[in-house]
Amino acid sequence: MDKIAVFPGSFDPFTIGHESIVRRAFSLFDTIIVAIGKNTEKDGLFPLSLRMEWIQEVFHGDKQVKVDSYHGLTVDYCKKVNAAYLLRGLRTAADFEYERAIAQINKTLSKEIETVFLLSNPEYSSVTSSIVKEIMKHGGDAKPFLPNSNALKTFKIV
Ligand code: ADP
C-alpha cells in the first residue's frame, strides 16, 4: 500500500524550511500532500490560490508531491485522502511543545494516523513564515529564505 503523508500548514508563504522538510521526506513516503488548512485563526497575508501556485511551482516535476487545501479537522482530511501519516517540522523547543500538543490531540481523535517529525536542518531553524512575511511587507529582500521559484521570488506586495 502507498505510504501517503499530509504536510499541513498555513505556508504563508512557503519557505526554504518547508521545502527542505518535504524533500527530506521523499525517501520516507510515496506521496506527500502539502495541504493548506483554511480553517486556522491565522489570517493569511497571501491569497490561498497564490500560495498553492507557489508550492506547485517549487515541486514542478516532482511526482511524489501534491498540493491541496482543506477545511475542517486535519485528521478528517487525512482520512479523506487515505493518508496514514502527518508530517511536521521541528525547529525549536517551542515548536516541540506546540507540535506535541497537536500531535497528541490528533492521536486521540484518530488512532490510525501517526505524526512523523523531522528536525529542521540547522541552517533553516531560524526561518519562519512570519519573519519572511515581515520582510516582504516592508519591501526587504526575502529571497534567501524562499525556495527557488520565480513566481514567489519576484512577487511584490503593493
Ligand atoms: P502552521 O500554521 O501549522 O504552524 P506553518 O506553515 O507555519 O504551519 O508550518 C508548517 C510546518 O512546517 C510546521 O510543522 C512547522 O513547524 C514546520 N516548519 C516551518 N518552518 C520550518 C523550518 N524553517 N524548518 C523546519 N520546519 C519548519
Side-chain angles (χ1 to χ4, degrees):
M1 209 172 76
D2 268 9
K3 283 192 172 169
I4 303 173
V6 167
F7 183 41
S10 317
F11 308 120
D12 187 43
F14 196 81
T15 68
I16 42 169
H18 295 128
E19 181 187 12
S20 157
I21 295 292
V22 174
R23 292 201 186 281
R24 287 169 56 204
F26 278 4
S27 60
L28 302 175
F29 306 107
D30 299 300
T31 301
I32 299 151
I33 305 173
V34 182
I36 304 180
K38 293 190 281 189
N39 55 335
T40 57
E41 303 279 300
K42 295 185 197 171
D43 252 349
L45 174 66
F46 302 105
L48 176 72
S49 55
L50 211 49
R51 280 186 260 166
M52 290 185 67
E53 269 174 44
W54 286 338
I55 303 169
Q56 266 149 3
E57 196 194 328
V58 172
F59 296 106
H60 178 79
D62 289 312
K63 291 200 172 54
Q64 263 174 283
V65 182
K66 293 190 167 68
V67 183
D68 198 4
S69 65
Y70 67 99
H71 271 298
L73 294 176
T74 305
V75 289
D76 289 340
Y77 174 73
C78 288
K79 285 178 201 161
K80 190 182 130 202
V81 296
N82 288 319
Y85 304 94
L86 267 167
L87 174 65
R88 296 289 283 179
L90 291 176
R91 289 161 294 192
T92 60
D95 266 1
F96 172 76
E97 277 309 318
Y98 175 74
E99 296 289 342
R100 181 189 57 75
I102 297 177
Q104 289 178 336
I105 297 292
N106 281 339
K107 194 71 188 166
T108 306
L109 293 176
S110 178
K111 300 261 173 295
E112 58 276 16
I113 298 171
E114 289 295 347
T115 303
V116 175
F117 297 103
L118 291 183
L119 274 186
S120 166
N121 276 354
E123 65 271 32
Y124 300 136
S125 62
S126 301
V127 179
T128 72
S129 290
S130 316
I131 294 176
V132 172
K133 233 180 321 206
E134 280 307 299
I135 297 171
M136 292 176 82
K137 265 195 219 165
H138 299 290
D141 182 9
K143 282 194 205 74
F145 312 110
L146 297 173
N148 204 7
S149 131
N150 289 330
L152 183 46
K153 287 197 168 176
T154 55
F155 184 81
K156 290 256 179 315
I157 296 171
V158 284

